[in-house]
Amino acid sequence: MRYSLFQVKSVLNLKVSGSEKLLSVDIFDTLLFRLVESPFEIFDEVGLRSKSEGLLSPTIMEQEFSMLRRSAEQVARKDQFEKYGHNEVTLDQIYEFLPDFIGDKPKLQSLEVKTECEFCYLNPEILKLIEDVNRRNLPVVLTSDMYLNKEQLEDILRSNEFDLNLIKQIYVSCEHSGNKSSGALFRKLQSDYSNIPPEKILHVGDKIEADFHSPRSLGIKAYHYSTTPEGLNKIFEHEKICLTPPSKLTSLRRLAVRFTRKADSIENQLGAGILGPVFTAFVEWVLDLCEQEKISQVFPLTREAELFHPMLENASKGRSWKVKIEPLYVSRESTWLASLTDWNEEELDDLLEKHSISVLEIFQTLGISLPKSFDLEYQDLKAGDLNPKQRENLRDYLLSDSVVESVNQRIASQCESLIEYLDQTVDMTQKSLTVDLGFRGTINSNIEKVMSKERVDSNFVHLLAFGANSTIELKMRGIKVLSFLASPSINQDYLSVIQRSSFLLESLILGRTGSTRRYEKIDGKQNPILQEQLLNKIEIERKAKVFNAIMVYQKLWRKIADLKPDLLRNHKSHRVSKREFCGLIYCMIDLPTPQLAQFLGESRHELNDGAKEIRKVCSSEDFQTLNQIGSEEKFAKVCRINKVHWPQGVLTVSNPHFLLKRKLEQNATDSYLRPMNDLIQALKAKNISEIIIYGAGEAGRSLLTAAQINNLKVECFVDRKETLWGKQVESKMVYSLPEALRKFRSTPIVIGSFHFLRQIQQAIERTCMELSLETEYFSINDL
């Protein structure tokens, strides 16, 4: 499988052609991104730093600084509006409204700018676009709605290695008493470049109103630079509902998905948006350990190596400590028999308890022939389906003297082959790392048992992405095991959900390489014999897309981490960061979006080594079980005894909002969806069955989801933006307020917004009066 690594080049859907004469670019969330979820988190960081540096008054806690800073900005904007009719403010004006006893205001203000410098990074795609346009001798300007002035913005850009010679001017709203949304900033640009017609100017930015609708209303060409497709937005929403997402990585995840070239692809959202951050952090942790412990050999285990090997190779580039990275072809099947001391009743029971292993596969695993007394129907049966008489006959035969002798010979032979393979692959005199997805460390334990039997000193340290509580038993036996995302007593609440559906995660990262069955000596060397690949071409191609997207994220992360090591390279080692990474996988499994559930549920996986059966993660039998039980709640409780491997996926495919509604009722969250869900439930208590949603933005779409969760009918959206009228948002038509009121008459209106509620209410009242209509309206204030 080959991986097309991310290359920095513009992938905008349009290019600056010969017809454009000037390029205008938005700054924040277009040219510059922050390593925070929200700009307000910059204030949190300033509070922490100012306290540690002694800049903050002892009477103010670091958490209070952020609240005071936000309040000061609101008061400053209100003051400006009352005095001058606009609410554009500078950072100086904001700090004037902080209480005088807060501390050294000039130093606090300087610290805020310095913190912005450290948390910002350049978007390689937009930087490439600016450089391309500059090479054609076309002017480039930056246009921003911001309280930071031109000089402060230049400091931020310069500190992030942006060449200011690439641009002619910076237009910032706080210096021109007007913003982009009002058109004031664009009119200033047009005035300064009056020789260039509006249609020859192209503006690029991320805000739909400020960067697209506003310039277009003035005749300026505009490109909406969107970095978050709807599917990724829903993934982020689900993460907010069930855990704290890794906020430092939000912008990187968005950009990486965009850089895959097909941001709407679920494979790319999964690979660059979820798995990429997790496994990038994991392989960096592996190599950090190599440097700390001076280990020069790393062996990702067989099938996971298809992903981890190239990721480790990428992560090793540029490091001072050089390591040998090579796949180690081992599996449960190729190490299990070799690890046994002898064949006995206990080992037989372990084999019989393997999921879905058939009688024939048991004999193949043990390397013995089926006796003629076992008819064809018998050998095709699964061990778990044998009746008591058949099971007794099978046990008696497999524990007979001749079989025990034969199997013991095979144990000795496989043990010798495995030791020879390890010896020819690994320098046993040097400390080495194995790298595995993990959970119980079964393969690692088997390897150590074999080496112990043969009295070979082990220099292995076994690294697992996930380690269950049971790995403490391996440590008690003297086996060196380290786990990254979850380990004994750490993050086991998340791991219990992940491990319950481990087939799902394994099916994602196992590529086209078949499992190692055994070893065969050819020309004096032990060669691994691999199982035939059971996936079809389409499945392999889908996995390749996921793998490629993971690599895109890793490439982008490494580029930014080299520039921001304190925020990214050191960040991943913190305990809270590991919980965030573990939480990404937990959320994917426990609260999948409908699109994720559909995609992942179609994936197929092998039930265990030794069995050739392959089945979908969400099989037809799983859905039949749900139908037979007849209740989602009951299914969720009894799915384990019914051998359903991913009940959350089955439930989400069957009823997309069941788990979401249940999670909202269980968890507090600051996302839009939770309060909107509370509002919809309050309306249902009033026996309201259908509504109109005012506002087709993010909050309004969350209100739609809440209505769908609670089976409340939404007739349409209303929005003040004329450009949306007659279009559909999430399959609902958008109307002007008068048209919606005429069409749906007395249908209640629910305001899908947290801001400007009074102004919206006044607009509804005024329109109703003009149309001589009466209707109820509700907002978040009605809770």
Side-chain angles (χ1 to χ4, degrees):
M1 189 178 294
R2 300 179 65 184
Y3 307 100
S4 55
L5 298 181
F6 163 64
Q7 295 179 348
V8 180
K9 58 171 65 177
S10 175
V11 292
L12 293 177
N13 294 332
L14 56 88
K15 296 179 180 179
V16 179
S17 62
S19 62
E20 283 85 25
K21 301 299 182 184
L22 183 147
L23 174 66
S24 166
V25 177
D26 173 47
I27 297 180
F28 288 95
D29 297 322
T30 303
L31 173 59
L32 280 177
F33 280 85
R34 294 182 176 103
L35 292 169
V36 289
E37 171 77 19
S38 158
F40 299 137
E41 291 178 36
I42 293 291
F43 310 153
D44 297 337
E45 186 68 25
V46 174
L48 289 170
R49 296 184 180 192
S50 61
K51 196 69 173 179
S52 65
E53 295 178 21
L55 301 178
L56 207 58
S57 167
T59 61
I60 295 177
M61 302 295 290
E62 57 264 35
Q63 297 90 341
E64 292 177 325
F65 173 83
S66 179
M67 299 176 68
L68 288 169
R69 167 64 177 78
R70 294 167 72 171
S71 296
E73 184 174 339
Q74 292 173 355
V75 175
R77 290 187 183 279
K78 181 180 179 182
D79 181 70
Q80 282 291 99
F81 186 78
E82 291 174 350
K83 288 180 179 177
Y84 307 109
H86 68 81
N87 63 358
E88 295 302 319
V89 293
T90 64
L91 196 60
D92 286 338
Q93 291 167 330
I94 292 171
Y95 271 75
E96 287 176 8
F97 285 92
L98 286 169
D100 291 335
F101 65 86
I102 194 169
D104 191 326
K105 286 188 183 182
K107 288 185 178 179
L108 285 170
Q109 186 174 333
S110 297
L111 180 60
E112 180 172 334
V113 176
K114 180 182 177 183
T115 305
E116 286 277 14
C117 291
E118 293 179 18
F119 274 78
C120 286
Y121 65 93
L122 290 173
N123 177 356
E125 181 179 37
I126 296 298
L127 176 61
K128 180 67 164 57
L129 176 68
I130 290 173
E131 290 172 339
D132 288 346
V133 172
N134 187 266
R135 276 193 290 270
R136 297 177 57 193
N137 295 318
L138 296 176
V140 179
V141 299
L142 303 183
T143 314
S144 178
D145 290 343
M146 195 57 183
Y147 47 75
L148 298 171
N149 60 35
K150 177 182 175 182
E151 182 180 344
Q152 291 163 336
L153 290 172
E154 286 178 341
D155 284 345
I156 295 171
L157 289 165
R158 193 183 296 110
S159 70
N160 283 279
E161 301 183 5
F162 180 80
D163 182 0
L164 292 172
N165 292 318
L166 293 171
I167 58 173
K168 297 295 184 182
Q169 185 59 275
I170 296 178
Y171 295 95
V172 57
S173 60
C174 69
E175 293 185 340
H176 295 287
S177 303
N179 58 23
K180 289 183 291 186
S181 293
S182 68
L185 216 53
F186 291 118
R187 284 191 287 272
K188 171 61 178 170
L189 186 158
Q190 287 176 303
S191 173
D192 288 354
Y193 290 90
S194 56
N195 60 317
I196 301 178
E199 66 272 14
K200 300 293 185 181
I201 300 173
L202 171 65
H203 178 73
V204 177
D206 68 297
K207 301 293 188 299
I208 187 69
E209 180 64 29
D211 295 307
F212 185 73
H213 294 306
S214 179
R216 280 169 61 96
S217 70
L218 297 173
I220 296 172
K221 287 185 178 181
Y223 177 85
H224 180 220
Y225 186 79
S226 174
T227 58
T228 314
E230 187 58 37
L232 191 61
N233 259 331
K234 288 188 180 297
I235 289 172
F236 287 172
E237 182 69 45
H238 283 218
E239 290 170 0
K240 290 177 184 177
I241 290 167
C242 67
L243 60 111
T244 301
S247 60
K248 281 186 171 64
L249 303 180
T250 298
S251 62
L252 284 174
R253 296 166 68 193
R254 287 173 174 155
L255 273 181
V257 171
R258 178 179 173 85
F259 289 169
T260 61
R261 307 296 183 90
K262 292 184 178 179
D264 291 326
S265 159
I266 188 62
E267 291 95 336
N268 291 334
Q269 292 170 14
L270 174 62
I274 299 176
L275 301 180
V278 174
F279 293 131
T280 293
F282 176 52
V283 299
E284 291 289 335
W285 173 74
V286 170
L287 293 176
D288 285 348
L289 191 63
C290 286
E291 291 189 358
Q292 293 164 15
E293 300 297 324
K294 304 303 180 187
I295 298 172
S296 57
Q297 299 183 103
V298 178
F299 299 96
L301 303 189
T302 317
R303 305 185 72 186
E304 285 93 332
E306 195 161 345
L307 174 64
F308 291 154
H309 186 202
M311 290 193 76
L312 286 163
E313 290 278 11
N314 292 338
S316 68
K317 294 173 183 175
R319 285 181 175 257
S320 57
W321 184 256
K322 300 303 178 184
V323 295
K324 168 188 174 183
I325 302 168
E326 184 177 336
L328 193 64
Y329 286 88
V330 289
S331 67
R332 293 183 188 91
E333 183 180 5
S334 72
T335 61
W336 172 69
L337 203 58
S339 72
L340 303 184
T341 303
D342 54 49
W343 181 240
N344 55 44
E345 189 171 356
E346 183 180 345
E347 307 300 349
L348 172 59
D349 287 339
D350 286 344
L351 184 58
L352 292 174
E353 288 172 6
K354 280 191 175 183
H355 294 295
S356 300
I357 193 166
S358 69
V359 173
L360 177 59
E361 288 164 345
I362 288 173
F363 279 82
Q364 291 173 339
T365 298
L366 297 177
I368 57 177
S369 302
L370 275 161
K372 293 181 180 178
S373 57
F374 285 56
D375 58 36
L376 292 176
E377 183 180 352
Y378 195 155
Q379 61 185 273
D380 290 334
L381 286 174
K382 294 177 182 177
D385 294 335
L386 296 175
N387 61 43
K389 181 64 175 175
Q390 291 171 325
R391 191 177 182 87
E392 183 181 352
N393 289 340
L394 179 61
R395 286 175 56 83
D396 288 344
Y397 181 77
L398 292 178
L399 293 173
S400 64
D401 291 343
S402 60
V403 169
V404 170
E405 181 181 359
S406 176
V407 174
N408 282 337
Q409 290 175 355
R410 185 168 176 81
I411 288 172
S413 172
Q414 288 208 358
C415 182
E416 181 182 354
S417 297
L418 179 55
I419 285 291
E420 287 183 8
Y421 170 71
L422 291 173
D423 188 56
Q424 73 189 31
T425 309
V426 181
D427 182 349
M428 297 291 197
T429 66
Q430 300 295 316
K431 188 183 287 187
S432 305
L433 297 180
T434 68
V435 179
D436 191 20
L437 184 63
F439 298 117
R440 296 184 181 89
T442 303
I443 299 173
N444 317 85
S445 174
N446 290 344
I447 290 173
E448 293 288 346
K449 286 179 181 178
V450 169
M451 296 179 73
S452 177
K453 277 199 315 177
E454 297 300 306
R455 292 179 170 79
V456 176
D457 291 335
S458 173
N459 274 317
F460 279 124
V461 178
H462 303 284
L463 304 186
L464 311 178
F466 299 91
N469 273 333
S470 59
T471 57
I472 201 72
E473 298 171 9
L474 302 184
K475 293 190 177 187
M476 286 297 294
R477 287 167 37 201
I479 299 174
K480 298 174 184 176
V481 179
L482 285 175
S483 305
F484 179 57
L485 297 170
S487 52
S489 80
I490 298 175
N491 296 334
Q492 291 298 310
D493 54 339
Y494 284 170
L495 187 63
S496 64
V497 172
I498 296 169
Q499 191 172 356
R500 166 72 179 80
S501 301
S502 60
F503 284 138
L504 167 61
L505 189 55
E506 289 171 353
S507 73
L508 281 174
I509 70 169
L510 302 183
R512 67 170 58 185
T513 305
S515 178
T516 304
R517 304 302 300 267
R518 64 185 188 281
Y519 306 95
E520 185 175 306
K521 208 163 194 175
I522 302 174
D523 297 330
K525 287 188 66 176
Q526 292 288 351
N527 289 271
I529 304 301
L530 306 182
Q531 178 176 292
E532 181 184 352
Q533 174 56 254
L534 300 178
L535 300 180
N536 60 41
K537 181 181 178 182
I538 294 176
E539 291 172 308
I540 291 173
E541 289 175 350
R542 293 172 81 185
K543 287 195 178 192
K545 291 177 182 177
V546 174
F547 281 21
N548 286 339
I550 292 172
M551 300 301 182
V552 168
Y553 175 88
Q554 185 190 27
K555 184 78 171 183
L556 177 63
W557 184 92
R558 289 184 61 242
K559 180 180 178 66
I560 306 304
D562 287 344
L563 300 172
K564 307 285 178 179
D566 289 340
L567 292 178
L568 292 178
R569 291 198 178 278
N570 298 336
H571 171 73
K572 69 182 183 305
S573 299
H574 299 162
R575 179 165 174 162
V576 65
S577 304
K578 293 180 181 180
R579 183 161 180 82
E580 290 175 349
F581 288 124
C582 193
L584 289 179
I585 304 298
Y586 161 78
C587 183
M588 177 188 76
I589 292 174
D590 203 47
L591 190 63
T593 65
Q595 191 180 15
L596 266 177
Q598 191 70 50
F599 175 80
L600 296 174
E602 290 291 321
S603 301
R604 294 195 301 158
H605 67 90
E606 300 155 30
L607 291 181
N608 53 260
D609 289 321
K612 293 183 179 179
E613 182 178 351
I614 186 168
R615 53 156 278 178
K616 289 184 178 179
V617 171
C618 296
S619 67
S620 57
E621 291 81 6
D622 294 340
F623 290 103
Q624 289 172 9
T625 299
L626 173 59
N627 292 332
Q628 289 167 2
I629 292 173
S631 161
E632 285 96 347
E633 284 290 352
K634 186 175 180 181
F635 175 81
K637 293 176 181 177
V638 303
C639 56
R640 183 183 294 272
I641 63 174
N642 285 278
K643 298 180 181 179
V644 178
H645 295 304
W646 189 32
Q648 299 95 326
V650 175
L651 286 167
T652 302
V653 170
S654 177
N655 183 348
H657 303 302
F658 170 75
L659 289 177
L660 187 58
K661 182 177 181 181
R662 190 166 71 162
K663 188 72 77 172
L664 281 170
E665 293 169 352
Q666 295 171 349
N667 289 2
T669 173
D670 61 357
S671 71
Y672 287 136
L673 189 52
R674 176 59 185 268
M676 290 305 183
N677 188 65
D678 292 342
L679 178 57
I680 290 294
Q681 289 185 341
L683 298 180
K684 289 205 72 174
K686 294 176 178 287
N687 294 319
I688 292 174
S689 58
E690 52 194 35
I691 61 170
I692 293 169
I693 296 178
Y694 191 111
E698 187 177 353
R701 294 196 297 272
S702 293
L703 185 59
L704 173 64
T705 300
Q708 293 170 334
I709 289 172
N710 291 279
N711 297 314
L712 192 150
K713 183 179 180 182
V714 174
E715 297 286 9
C716 68
F717 278 110
V718 162
D719 203 279
R720 65 183 180 82
K721 298 186 184 75
E722 293 184 30
T723 52
L724 292 177
W725 298 348
K727 297 179 181 178
Q728 289 194 339
V729 171
E730 303 233 348
S731 76
K732 296 295 178 183
M733 189 65 73
V734 183
Y735 295 108
S736 66
L737 179 57
E739 187 176 1
L741 287 171
R742 292 190 192 99
K743 186 174 181 65
F744 299 105
R745 310 296 291 180
S746 58
T747 301
I749 297 174
V750 186
I751 300 172
S753 176
F754 288 77
H755 308 289
F756 308 110
L757 295 179
R758 186 59 198 148
Q759 293 92 320
I760 295 172
Q761 291 167 357
Q762 290 172 348
I764 294 172
E765 292 169 356
R766 185 171 57 252
T767 305
C768 285
M769 188 177 297
E770 292 171 354
L771 297 176
S772 300
L773 292 173
E774 290 186 7
T775 189
E776 293 182 287
Y777 59 81
F778 303 91
S779 73
I780 202 71
N781 288 340
D782 292 301
L783 285 176

